[in-house]
Structures are given as structure tokens and as C-alpha cells.
Amino acid sequence: LDRYLPAYLKDRTDPMFFGVPGWAEDYYNTPQLQYNVNASVAGGKGIANYLFAIGTATNEGMADNTDYSKYNIDFYLNMMPVKGLTVSTVLQATKASRSRNNTLRDRYAEYFPSLSTPLPPTTEGAAIYESYLDGTDDKNDNMTINGSLSLNYVWEALRAGVSMKFDYETDVRNAFWPSTLMESMNLSLI
């Protein structure tokens, strides 16, 4: 029967594959801090008003050192510099970052690890895989800036308006996986 087993399962004294499977304690985190913090200032009266707001949100993942953080700034201004003319401005900026899941199941679409010997289910085996991940780089940032400026004029039955809007978004993914993690090659995504 042993001749049909893969090489890594033939030695039943190997502590990597037949030891105590304690990797779950390292993989799953105790509940982490999750928070939202927002602050805003508003003011003005009939001919002008404004709102300025900033905020952040953080969500630490339950497993695999995943996390998500978001920062945003918003500015709104409405004013009537002359009778009948209103000016409205909106400016919003957001940056979101995340740490991705490192499990092999979720990574097969990105890199091809060596399948000759799978990841051992023991604490020591998981620690070896984690040490391979220490040499990697995987940054995921999404940045967005958008806004608008609109002018509206009302005089008796005449109504006229013009607006300009802009929207800029960029997704940045820098990744590097060394040959220790993959099957004899390095891979870099920029």
C-alpha cells in the first residue's frame, strides 16, 4: 500500500505531516479592532454654506493577517456671489488599501507553487510557508478623486446652467513572489 502513497506520506515518523496540526491558532486571529472615525465641520447661512468632512475606517481580518483600511476627505461649498447666480462645488478623495489572503487556494490564480510536496498541516509547516511569504511584496491601493463645479443663473423666466465634472481613479498593485514560494522562478507584477 505504501508504494501508492506520495513520497511525503511514506514516512509516518515525519513530524511535518504526522505531527500535531496546530496551524489554526496561528492562522486565525483573535477578534481584531474594527473602527470608523469621522469628523465634519459645517457652517454658513443664506448666501453661502459649506461642509468639510474627513474619515477613516479599518477592518482587521479574522484570518491570514488580512485587513482593509480606507481614508476619505469630502468638501462641499454652495454660494451665491451675486443675486441669481449660484455656485456649487464638490470635491471627494478616497484611498483604500488591503492586505490580501495568503492561502494557497486563493493564490493559485496568481502564482503556481510547487505541488510536489503540499503545505504540511502542522505548526512548523505553516511557519515555513509564512517565512516564504516574508520575502514577498503585495501592495493593493485604490485611489479616487472626483468632484464637480456647477454654475446656475436664474433671472425672471431665464434659467441657465453649466457644470464641469471630473473623476480620476487608479488601482495600484505591486506584487513580487520569490522562487522559494513558486516552482523555481520569481514573478513580479507592477
Side-chain angles (χ1 to χ4, degrees), residues 55-57 68-73 93-97 140-145:
T56 183
Y68 176 80
S69 60
K70 178 181 170 185
Y71 307 93
N72 59 294
I73 297 174
T94 303
K95 179 183 179 190
S97 300
N140 297 269
D141 294 324
N142 179 299
M143 291 162 273
T144 304
I145 300 173

PDB file of all heavy atoms in Angstrom, residues 55-57 68-73 93-97 140-145:
ATOM      1  N   GLY A  55     -12.626  61.157   7.253  1.00  0.00           N
ATOM      2  CA  GLY A  55     -12.974  59.907   7.924  1.00  0.00           C
ATOM      3  C   GLY A  55     -12.001  58.799   7.601  1.00  0.00           C
ATOM      4  O   GLY A  55     -11.238  58.866   6.632  1.00  0.00           O
ATOM      5  N   THR A  56     -12.023  57.789   8.434  1.00  0.00           N
ATOM      6  CA  THR A  56     -11.216  56.596   8.218  1.00  0.00           C
ATOM      7  C   THR A  56     -11.981  55.386   8.725  1.00  0.00           C
ATOM      8  O   THR A  56     -12.795  55.494   9.641  1.00  0.00           O
ATOM      9  CB  THR A  56      -9.837  56.701   8.908  1.00  0.00           C
ATOM     10  OG1 THR A  56      -9.074  55.530   8.605  1.00  0.00           O
ATOM     11  CG2 THR A  56      -9.978  56.821  10.408  1.00  0.00           C
ATOM     12  N   ALA A  57     -11.730  54.265   8.114  1.00  0.00           N
ATOM     13  CA  ALA A  57     -12.340  53.005   8.535  1.00  0.00           C
ATOM     14  C   ALA A  57     -11.278  51.916   8.434  1.00  0.00           C
ATOM     15  O   ALA A  57     -10.502  51.888   7.475  1.00  0.00           O
ATOM     16  CB  ALA A  57     -13.528  52.648   7.659  1.00  0.00           C
ATOM     17  N   TYR A  68      -8.218  45.737   5.855  1.00  0.00           N
ATOM     18  CA  TYR A  68      -8.719  46.732   4.906  1.00  0.00           C
ATOM     19  C   TYR A  68      -8.746  48.073   5.617  1.00  0.00           C
ATOM     20  O   TYR A  68      -9.197  48.165   6.760  1.00  0.00           O
ATOM     21  CB  TYR A  68     -10.130  46.352   4.445  1.00  0.00           C
ATOM     22  CG  TYR A  68     -10.769  47.370   3.541  1.00  0.00           C
ATOM     23  CD1 TYR A  68     -10.447  47.424   2.187  1.00  0.00           C
ATOM     24  CD2 TYR A  68     -11.685  48.289   4.027  1.00  0.00           C
ATOM     25  CE1 TYR A  68     -11.026  48.357   1.362  1.00  0.00           C
ATOM     26  CE2 TYR A  68     -12.267  49.227   3.197  1.00  0.00           C
ATOM     27  CZ  TYR A  68     -11.940  49.254   1.872  1.00  0.00           C
ATOM     28  OH  TYR A  68     -12.507  50.185   1.041  1.00  0.00           O
ATOM     29  N   SER A  69      -8.257  49.113   4.971  1.00  0.00           N
ATOM     30  CA  SER A  69      -8.324  50.454   5.545  1.00  0.00           C
ATOM     31  C   SER A  69      -8.732  51.445   4.461  1.00  0.00           C
ATOM     32  O   SER A  69      -8.397  51.274   3.286  1.00  0.00           O
ATOM     33  CB  SER A  69      -6.990  50.857   6.168  1.00  0.00           C
ATOM     34  OG  SER A  69      -5.974  50.857   5.194  1.00  0.00           O
ATOM     35  N   LYS A  70      -9.463  52.458   4.885  1.00  0.00           N
ATOM     36  CA  LYS A  70      -9.986  53.450   3.946  1.00  0.00           C
ATOM     37  C   LYS A  70      -9.896  54.830   4.593  1.00  0.00           C
ATOM     38  O   LYS A  70     -10.197  54.988   5.775  1.00  0.00           O
ATOM     39  CB  LYS A  70     -11.437  53.125   3.603  1.00  0.00           C
ATOM     40  CG  LYS A  70     -12.091  54.101   2.688  1.00  0.00           C
ATOM     41  CD  LYS A  70     -13.533  53.680   2.432  1.00  0.00           C
ATOM     42  CE  LYS A  70     -14.287  54.764   1.709  1.00  0.00           C
ATOM     43  NZ  LYS A  70     -15.692  54.449   1.558  1.00  0.00           N
ATOM     44  N   TYR A  71      -9.482  55.822   3.808  1.00  0.00           N
ATOM     45  CA  TYR A  71      -9.387  57.206   4.246  1.00  0.00           C
ATOM     46  C   TYR A  71     -10.129  58.072   3.232  1.00  0.00           C
ATOM     47  O   TYR A  71      -9.979  57.859   2.030  1.00  0.00           O
ATOM     48  CB  TYR A  71      -7.926  57.661   4.324  1.00  0.00           C
ATOM     49  CG  TYR A  71      -7.068  56.746   5.155  1.00  0.00           C
ATOM     50  CD1 TYR A  71      -6.353  55.706   4.572  1.00  0.00           C
ATOM     51  CD2 TYR A  71      -6.997  56.901   6.536  1.00  0.00           C
ATOM     52  CE1 TYR A  71      -5.587  54.850   5.344  1.00  0.00           C
ATOM     53  CE2 TYR A  71      -6.233  56.053   7.312  1.00  0.00           C
ATOM     54  CZ  TYR A  71      -5.532  55.027   6.699  1.00  0.00           C
ATOM     55  OH  TYR A  71      -4.780  54.176   7.471  1.00  0.00           O
ATOM     56  N   ASN A  72     -10.919  59.015   3.718  1.00  0.00           N
ATOM     57  CA  ASN A  72     -11.638  59.864   2.778  1.00  0.00           C
ATOM     58  C   ASN A  72     -11.711  61.306   3.283  1.00  0.00           C
ATOM     59  O   ASN A  72     -11.716  61.571   4.479  1.00  0.00           O
ATOM     60  CB  ASN A  72     -13.041  59.337   2.493  1.00  0.00           C
ATOM     61  CG  ASN A  72     -13.886  59.227   3.733  1.00  0.00           C
ATOM     62  OD1 ASN A  72     -13.579  58.429   4.605  1.00  0.00           O
ATOM     63  ND2 ASN A  72     -14.934  60.022   3.832  1.00  0.00           N
ATOM     64  N   ILE A  73     -11.755  62.223   2.302  1.00  0.00           N
ATOM     65  CA  ILE A  73     -11.907  63.657   2.553  1.00  0.00           C
ATOM     66  C   ILE A  73     -13.006  64.145   1.608  1.00  0.00           C
ATOM     67  O   ILE A  73     -12.991  63.824   0.415  1.00  0.00           O
ATOM     68  CB  ILE A  73     -10.603  64.432   2.265  1.00  0.00           C
ATOM     69  CG1 ILE A  73      -9.485  63.968   3.196  1.00  0.00           C
ATOM     70  CG2 ILE A  73     -10.823  65.920   2.390  1.00  0.00           C
ATOM     71  CD1 ILE A  73      -8.138  64.585   2.884  1.00  0.00           C
ATOM     72  N   ALA A  93     -12.100  62.778  -2.117  1.00  0.00           N
ATOM     73  CA  ALA A  93     -10.889  61.978  -2.338  1.00  0.00           C
ATOM     74  C   ALA A  93     -10.920  60.790  -1.387  1.00  0.00           C
ATOM     75  O   ALA A  93     -11.297  60.928  -0.225  1.00  0.00           O
ATOM     76  CB  ALA A  93      -9.639  62.813  -2.096  1.00  0.00           C
ATOM     77  N   THR A  94     -10.543  59.628  -1.909  1.00  0.00           N
ATOM     78  CA  THR A  94     -10.569  58.395  -1.122  1.00  0.00           C
ATOM     79  C   THR A  94      -9.333  57.573  -1.442  1.00  0.00           C
ATOM     80  O   THR A  94      -8.915  57.490  -2.600  1.00  0.00           O
ATOM     81  CB  THR A  94     -11.821  57.553  -1.452  1.00  0.00           C
ATOM     82  OG1 THR A  94     -12.980  58.330  -1.217  1.00  0.00           O
ATOM     83  CG2 THR A  94     -11.878  56.294  -0.624  1.00  0.00           C
ATOM     84  N   LYS A  95      -8.759  56.950  -0.411  1.00  0.00           N
ATOM     85  CA  LYS A  95      -7.686  55.975  -0.602  1.00  0.00           C
ATOM     86  C   LYS A  95      -8.053  54.729   0.195  1.00  0.00           C
ATOM     87  O   LYS A  95      -8.363  54.807   1.382  1.00  0.00           O
ATOM     88  CB  LYS A  95      -6.338  56.497  -0.122  1.00  0.00           C
ATOM     89  CG  LYS A  95      -5.248  55.462  -0.300  1.00  0.00           C
ATOM     90  CD  LYS A  95      -3.920  55.911   0.234  1.00  0.00           C
ATOM     91  CE  LYS A  95      -2.914  54.773   0.030  1.00  0.00           C
ATOM     92  NZ  LYS A  95      -1.674  55.006   0.695  1.00  0.00           N
ATOM     93  N   ALA A  96      -8.026  53.587  -0.471  1.00  0.00           N
ATOM     94  CA  ALA A  96      -8.334  52.312   0.183  1.00  0.00           C
ATOM     95  C   ALA A  96      -7.166  51.359  -0.041  1.00  0.00           C
ATOM     96  O   ALA A  96      -6.602  51.283  -1.133  1.00  0.00           O
ATOM     97  CB  ALA A  96      -9.608  51.710  -0.385  1.00  0.00           C
ATOM     98  N   SER A  97      -6.775  50.648   1.016  1.00  0.00           N
ATOM     99  CA  SER A  97      -5.676  49.679   0.944  1.00  0.00           C
ATOM    100  C   SER A  97      -6.135  48.375   1.576  1.00  0.00           C
ATOM    101  O   SER A  97      -6.923  48.387   2.526  1.00  0.00           O
ATOM    102  CB  SER A  97      -4.452  50.181   1.709  1.00  0.00           C
ATOM    103  OG  SER A  97      -4.009  51.396   1.175  1.00  0.00           O
ATOM    104  N   ASN A 140      -1.821  46.636  -2.411  1.00  0.00           N
ATOM    105  CA  ASN A 140      -3.043  46.884  -3.158  1.00  0.00           C
ATOM    106  C   ASN A 140      -3.638  48.207  -2.704  1.00  0.00           C
ATOM    107  O   ASN A 140      -4.124  48.310  -1.583  1.00  0.00           O
ATOM    108  CB  ASN A 140      -4.060  45.767  -2.897  1.00  0.00           C
ATOM    109  CG  ASN A 140      -3.559  44.436  -3.368  1.00  0.00           C
ATOM    110  OD1 ASN A 140      -3.794  44.062  -4.486  1.00  0.00           O
ATOM    111  ND2 ASN A 140      -2.850  43.721  -2.513  1.00  0.00           N
ATOM    112  N   ASP A 141      -3.568  49.217  -3.535  1.00  0.00           N
ATOM    113  CA  ASP A 141      -4.106  50.534  -3.196  1.00  0.00           C
ATOM    114  C   ASP A 141      -5.049  50.990  -4.300  1.00  0.00           C
ATOM    115  O   ASP A 141      -4.773  50.819  -5.480  1.00  0.00           O
ATOM    116  CB  ASP A 141      -2.987  51.572  -3.049  1.00  0.00           C
ATOM    117  CG  ASP A 141      -2.090  51.282  -1.864  1.00  0.00           C
ATOM    118  OD1 ASP A 141      -2.604  50.810  -0.834  1.00  0.00           O
ATOM    119  OD2 ASP A 141      -0.874  51.514  -1.979  1.00  0.00           O
ATOM    120  N   ASN A 142      -6.151  51.599  -3.885  1.00  0.00           N
ATOM    121  CA  ASN A 142      -7.122  52.174  -4.803  1.00  0.00           C
ATOM    122  C   ASN A 142      -7.286  53.627  -4.391  1.00  0.00           C
ATOM    123  O   ASN A 142      -7.622  53.906  -3.237  1.00  0.00           O
ATOM    124  CB  ASN A 142      -8.447  51.401  -4.698  1.00  0.00           C
ATOM    125  CG  ASN A 142      -9.497  51.972  -5.606  1.00  0.00           C
ATOM    126  OD1 ASN A 142      -9.874  53.123  -5.462  1.00  0.00           O
ATOM    127  ND2 ASN A 142      -9.969  51.178  -6.521  1.00  0.00           N
ATOM    128  N   MET A 143      -7.062  54.546  -5.327  1.00  0.00           N
ATOM    129  CA  MET A 143      -7.187  55.968  -5.038  1.00  0.00           C
ATOM    130  C   MET A 143      -8.182  56.604  -6.000  1.00  0.00           C
ATOM    131  O   MET A 143      -8.146  56.330  -7.206  1.00  0.00           O
ATOM    132  CB  MET A 143      -5.830  56.648  -5.149  1.00  0.00           C
ATOM    133  CG  MET A 143      -4.896  56.223  -4.033  1.00  0.00           C
ATOM    134  SD  MET A 143      -3.175  56.564  -4.371  1.00  0.00           S
ATOM    135  CE  MET A 143      -2.713  55.096  -5.252  1.00  0.00           C
ATOM    136  N   THR A 144      -9.058  57.430  -5.448  1.00  0.00           N
ATOM    137  CA  THR A 144     -10.106  58.067  -6.238  1.00  0.00           C
ATOM    138  C   THR A 144     -10.190  59.539  -5.871  1.00  0.00           C
ATOM    139  O   THR A 144     -10.182  59.882  -4.696  1.00  0.00           O
ATOM    140  CB  THR A 144     -11.473  57.414  -5.962  1.00  0.00           C
ATOM    141  OG1 THR A 144     -11.385  56.024  -6.220  1.00  0.00           O
ATOM    142  CG2 THR A 144     -12.554  58.006  -6.818  1.00  0.00           C
ATOM    143  N   ILE A 145     -10.273  60.382  -6.888  1.00  0.00           N
ATOM    144  CA  ILE A 145     -10.543  61.805  -6.701  1.00  0.00           C
ATOM    145  C   ILE A 145     -11.643  62.169  -7.685  1.00  0.00           C
ATOM    146  O   ILE A 145     -11.515  61.900  -8.884  1.00  0.00           O
ATOM    147  CB  ILE A 145      -9.302  62.684  -6.966  1.00  0.00           C
ATOM    148  CG1 ILE A 145      -8.166  62.317  -6.012  1.00  0.00           C
ATOM    149  CG2 ILE A 145      -9.641  64.155  -6.831  1.00  0.00           C
ATOM    150  CD1 ILE A 145      -6.863  63.018  -6.314  1.00  0.00           C
TER     151      ILE A 145
END
